[in-house]
Amino acid sequence: MNGQRTHGTRSRGVSIAIGATASVCLVALASVAVFMWARSGAVRQSVSKPADYCTVTTSDGNYPLSLTQTRNASFIAAVAVQRGLPDHAATVAIATAMQESKLVNLDHGDLDSVGLFQQRPSQGWGTVEQLMDESYATNAFYDGLVKVADWQTIPVEDAAQAVQRSGYPDLYTQWDGMARAWASALTGEVAAGVTCSIHTKTSPDADGLVTAFRGQFPSVEIVRSLGLGDGSDTESGSDAGSTSTSDAGSSDSSSTSSGSSGATGDGQSSTVTMTLTFTLPAGLSESDMKRQGWQAATWLVAHAHEYGVRSVHACGMDWSRSAGRWSGTEAAEQSLTVTLR
């Protein structure tokens, strides 16, 4: 009897314990479910918010980059153009920088490596300060590249390895397609190659844009035009009655009015818009005009977020922040226009 009673008591105790444990588990599971549901909602909200990025599309697929990566790739390609190097040089350089730093100007790396190309001061590339300067680092890479025998015809990864002397030479291969696509677009070989989807608003900086652009394209003349818009986010060209100032030599104070607001005669708010007109050198052939036009246009789109560019017209086609893509039919044009507000 005692044994049976004890057994029954233990059974009831076990049952109670199991029930209590099950209840606790159910409560815990419910809490986890609520937490996960809340988190999933937060994730859905985060994912649904579009990110700022740029991309190049080819028959092989899309090659997106962040805005920072895009600006650095654009700079690398522009230096190749300045030096009169073929597109292949930009391809090798972009592939190398993508592998070494993911196209970000890092102040750290393996051992004493720094910069876009993770060059090492201890190996004679220069000082840390020099290697953190994108211009110095990029030119140093090209200086090494042009010394490589047959660099224009050997595979990208072989050319990159000959300059970098990496411990993992095979890793450059994975960036061949991406680097070739971006180099072709940024050097103007491909029309309307770079598109950017930019949703974050930025203030216009005409002075900064003019200074940076002139540093990459010194032979292009720039003229600024001010005009009043109606405050809407249309992508039209310059407004009637605008004033123009030449910007061929140095930046002027007219850009300080860009982005300011006023009022029209009917009491409605208006916005001062600035249009920059970029004129290519005279005497270019039709093919050269298109190529140089796209070199300038892709640079401008790649830096649209940084300088508050609203729209670009080049080579018969138009790009705008709101659309995030190029539209129109390509044509040879000597001038490009950029609208900021």
Side-chain angles (χ1 to χ4, degrees):
M1 293 292 293
N2 290 336
Q4 290 180 349
R5 193 163 47 246
T6 301
H7 174 73
T9 302
R10 287 177 180 174
S11 298
R12 287 194 297 274
V14 170
S15 299
I16 293 171
I18 291 175
T21 301
S23 299
V24 171
C25 290
L26 287 174
V27 171
L29 286 172
S31 300
V32 170
V34 171
F35 174 76
M36 293 301 294
W37 177 84
R39 285 294 303 272
S40 66
V43 170
R44 284 196 298 271
Q45 288 182 343
S46 174
V47 170
S48 66
K49 183 179 181 180
D52 299 329
Y53 69 96
C54 298
T55 189
V56 171
T57 301
T58 71
S59 58
D60 296 327
N62 297 327
Y63 296 97
L65 292 176
S66 71
L67 298 185
T68 297
Q69 291 174 315
T70 298
R71 289 193 296 270
N72 288 329
S74 173
F75 183 85
I76 290 171
V79 172
V81 170
Q82 281 183 322
R83 294 178 59 134
L85 297 175
D87 297 351
H88 188 63
T91 298
V92 176
I94 291 173
T96 302
M98 190 65 182
Q99 172 57 34
E100 298 292 351
S101 68
K102 293 298 183 288
L103 278 169
V104 177
N105 195 28
L106 301 175
D107 62 358
H108 60 278
D110 182 49
L111 300 176
D112 59 338
S113 301
V114 294
L116 281 173
F117 298 91
Q118 290 291 281
Q119 296 149 326
R120 298 180 59 186
S122 62
Q123 293 185 345
W125 283 100
T127 66
V128 171
E129 182 178 5
Q130 288 174 323
L131 298 177
M132 286 300 297
D133 180 272
E134 293 95 332
S135 179
Y136 179 94
T138 303
N139 277 289
F141 178 84
Y142 286 134
D143 288 345
L145 179 63
V146 297
K147 296 176 183 177
V148 176
D150 302 321
W151 69 268
Q152 298 187 47
T153 56
I154 62 178
V156 170
E157 57 271 20
D158 292 344
Q161 173 61 10
V163 179
Q164 296 293 104
R165 303 180 187 277
S166 170
Y168 306 94
D170 295 338
L171 295 180
Y172 295 116
T173 308
Q174 63 186 315
W175 306 114
D176 283 7
M178 167 267 173
R180 187 170 291 108
W182 274 91
S184 297
L186 291 167
T187 59
E189 181 181 339
V190 175
V194 176
T195 59
C196 293
S197 178
I198 304 172
H199 304 274
T200 304
K201 292 185 178 180
T202 50
S203 299
D205 180 9
D207 285 335
L209 174 58
V210 168
T211 299
F213 184 90
R214 188 183 293 114
Q216 300 297 313
F217 305 93
S219 63
V220 177
E221 181 183 358
I222 307 172
V223 174
R224 310 187 193 201
S225 302
L226 288 176
L228 288 178
D230 60 3
S232 63
D233 193 23
T234 59
E235 307 301 338
S236 59
S238 57
D239 299 286
S242 62
T243 59
S244 300
T245 55
S246 175
D247 215 339
S250 59
S251 60
D252 57 72
S253 60
S254 63
S255 65
T256 58
S257 299
S258 178
S260 60
S261 299
T264 59
D266 57 7
Q268 295 181 345
S269 63
S270 62
T271 304
V272 176
T273 62
M274 173 169 286
T275 299
L276 302 179
T277 301
F278 301 80
T279 304
L280 303 175
L284 296 174
S285 66
E286 180 176 330
S287 60
D288 285 344
M289 191 177 298
K290 287 182 179 180
R291 190 177 181 90
Q292 292 190 27
W294 285 120
Q295 288 170 3
T298 53
W299 188 96
L300 290 164
V301 171
H303 292 77
H305 177 268
E306 183 177 2
Y307 298 112
V309 172
R310 190 181 75 178
S311 62
V312 177
H313 175 87
C315 300
M317 300 184 71
D318 295 281
W319 173 89
S320 69
R321 279 191 182 220
S322 59
R325 64 182 182 275
W326 287 96
S327 61
T329 303
E330 184 187 16
E333 293 179 341
Q334 190 175 3
S335 295
L336 303 80
T337 56
V338 171
T339 302
L340 301 91
R341 191 182 66 195

